[in-house]
Structure formats: C-alpha cells, structure tokens
Amino acid sequence: MTGQIAYRPLAEADLPLMADWLNRPHLRAFYQREPISLAAVAAKYGPRIRREVPTHSWLAILAGAPFGYLQCYRVADWADWRGTIGVDHGVSIDLFIGEAALIGHGVGRRMLAGYVDQVAFPQHPDERLCWIGHELENAAARGCSAAAGFVPVREYVEDGARCVLMVRQLFSRTDDLKNDPLHGILRHSGSAVRAAR
C-alpha cells in the first residue's frame, strides 16, 4: 500500500471508531483480549484526549482515512511500566492497525517508523531511546518493529506473558552507538537478542 501516512491526535469523536476497532477479531489475540464497550473505551482514552494523563494518543491516516492507533509516553512517567521493563528513561510506544485489510503490506512498518520520527521523539525532545514491547508469540509485530529499526534487547513478563523489549535510538550511526549508553545495553543482552530473532 502506497501513499504518505499522516498522524493526528485522537479526539472524542474518534471513540466510536476506537471501540469498533478494539472489538475486531484480529485485535483479540494480543491487544484487546476481552470485548470492550464504548463507555469503557471513553473511560480509558478520554483522559488521554483531555491530557489528564501523560500519554499522547494519535491516529494514523492513509488516503484521508484513519487506519491505526499509536500512543507514546515517557517511561519515567509510569512507575509500573518502569518496573516491568527495568528501564527508567526513554519513550515507549504502543500501537495497532485497526483495519485488518492493511496488515501484511508494509503499512505497519511505515506507520511505526514515521510515528517515531515525526511524533514520539519530537514530543519528547530530551529522550534519545524509544522502546516497544511485544509478546514473544507475536512474531508479526516483532518483525514489523524490526523493519522499523527496533532491535531486541531482552525478555520481560507482563500479565503472565513472555514479551520481548525492543529499542530504537534517535541517532543510528554506528559511531553514535558506540558512544551511547545503548551500546552497553545491547552488548550485554546478546543472548536475549538471539533468542528473540
């Protein structure tokens, strides 16, 4: 699928679409395992829209129509997440493609890569690392993130599921990597990197 992907903040008017997406079968495996009502969607995403919590929620747009959801947040702002992944800095991203027909065509890779560069890092200019986690069994999502420049660091457990933590840095030149704390993280996690591939 071709065409430029754009991003816009999630709005109250988008909540019915979010509820529709979250109840679609392809999201039940890894993202939204239980049915969710519109009221529950409003309760969860409304505070993000109103900026009552430090999570930025966005829709991805292709050919004028929304097709996916992404959110980013500073790891330091969420103590539970810091403890889960064992990291205290950087930006984390969560995402899904709501329109199943677009899955498997390279759209997810472009959506994620563009969001990191155009939204996540600009929203958090003091951060240089971007984190994403996927369940170990979700090979498609791990492959998408790898294609968008993320590399696996280590495993962690979330809600009883084995997951893989992946990272992408703001500057990806080899000489920058050698002088960055990320170099030490990757060097000391070789077994986790190999296991996640």
Side-chain angles (χ1 to χ4, degrees), residues 51 54-56 58 71-75 77 90-92 115 119-129 170:
R51 302 301 306 275
T55 295
H56 303 272
W58 296 73
Q71 63 184 27
C72 65
Y73 45 92
R74 291 176 64 245
V75 175
D77 289 334
V91 180
S92 277
Y115 184 76
V119 179
F121 278 133
Q123 287 277 328
H124 306 282
D126 295 333
E127 303 290 357
R128 290 192 59 202
L129 301 181
L170 181 59

Side-chain angles (χ1 to χ4, degrees), residues 24-188:
R24 292 186 181 182
H26 73 281
L27 289 179
R28 300 298 276 284
F30 296 105
Y31 200 91
Q32 179 65 43
R33 287 191 163 86
E34 301 296 328
I36 187 169
S37 67
L38 177 57
V41 170
K44 179 174 181 178
Y45 293 93
R48 303 173 191 189
I49 293 168
R50 296 186 296 272
R51 302 301 306 275
E52 296 168 359
V53 296
T55 295
H56 303 272
S57 295
W58 296 73
L59 292 182
I61 314 294
L62 183 62
F67 72 92
Y69 170 80
L70 308 100
Q71 63 184 27
C72 65
Y73 45 92
R74 291 176 64 245
V75 175
D77 289 334
W78 296 97
D80 289 350
W81 182 236
R82 287 199 314 268
T84 297
I85 64 174
V87 171
D88 61 4
H89 60 287
V91 180
S92 277
I93 289 180
D94 303 302
L95 76 161
F96 64 78
I97 292 178
E99 301 298 333
L102 296 180
I103 295 173
H105 299 284
V107 175
R109 171 191 56 79
R110 294 197 298 121
M111 177 179 81
L112 176 56
Y115 184 76
V116 171
D117 294 334
Q118 298 172 41
V119 179
F121 278 133
Q123 287 277 328
H124 306 282
D126 295 333
E127 303 290 357
R128 290 192 59 202
L129 301 181
C130 187
W131 305 94
I132 195 166
H134 300 295
E135 289 192 27
L136 193 60
E137 295 181 1
N138 194 351
R142 291 192 287 110
C144 173
S145 293
F150 286 78
V151 294
V153 174
R154 62 174 167 269
E155 289 188 19
Y156 65 97
V157 175
E158 184 177 19
D159 298 328
R162 290 175 61 199
C163 301
V164 175
L165 182 66
M166 304 178 75
V167 68
R168 178 178 161 184
Q169 65 174 8
L170 181 59
F171 303 110
S172 59
R173 296 195 334 258
T174 302
D175 58 338
D176 286 333
L177 182 61
K178 289 179 180 177
N179 295 315
D180 194 283
L182 176 60
H183 181 64
I185 293 172
L186 295 177
R187 186 164 43 84
H188 293 299

Side-chain angles (χ1 to χ4, degrees), residues 7-29:
Y7 307 90
R8 69 165 173 81
L10 186 70
E12 296 278 353
D14 300 315
L15 293 177
L17 175 63
M18 287 288 288
D20 177 35
W21 279 347
L22 289 167
N23 283 295
R24 292 186 181 182
H26 73 281
L27 289 179
R28 300 298 276 284

